Amino acid sequence: MLLVQPGDATPFEGPQRVLLPLDGSPLAEEALPVAQLLGQLLAAPLTLALALARDEAPEAAAEHPLPAHLREVAGRLAEAGVTTQVEVRSGDAARVI
């Protein structure tokens, strides 16, 4: 989603951020090249977001493989020159994102 504020402001003026929610599926990761390109073109940091089920036990969430996978993806993006961070939160994906 690209959000541009209405009014006289020039689009893409000021700080920009790219948010990419991922769930570990191959379909979601198809958006990585586009997110990487946007991060590079806008010189904007990229946040990889993951929502874990709220009812998941804390110890199970700590051992969940997806946060480690996202950190690996973030490392590859950093090597490509994109400042990347990983956000992992518990709860409903629609609310977390």
Side-chain angles (χ1 to χ4, degrees):
M1 176 186 308
L2 177 62
L3 298 176
V4 178
Q5 296 294 326
D8 296 331
T10 303
F12 308 116
E13 188 175 278
Q16 304 296 318
R17 295 176 292 170
V18 177
L19 171 66
L20 179 59
L22 294 173
D23 61 7
S25 70
L27 179 62
E29 292 200 10
E30 286 183 20
L32 279 167
V34 174
Q36 177 180 335
L37 182 60
L38 281 173
Q40 291 168 327
L41 290 174
L42 299 173
L46 173 60
T47 300
L48 304 177
L50 171 65
L52 295 176
R54 182 176 302 154
D55 58 349
E56 196 166 339
E59 59 276 1
E63 296 175 9
H64 202 288
L66 281 178
H69 173 67
L70 264 58
R71 286 190 294 275
E72 180 182 308
V73 170
R76 290 195 310 262
L77 290 165
E79 289 174 5
V82 179
T83 302
T84 308
Q85 67 179 25
V86 174
E87 283 279 331
V88 179
R89 297 196 181 175
S90 294
D92 177 62
R95 292 193 188 279
V96 168
I97 297 166

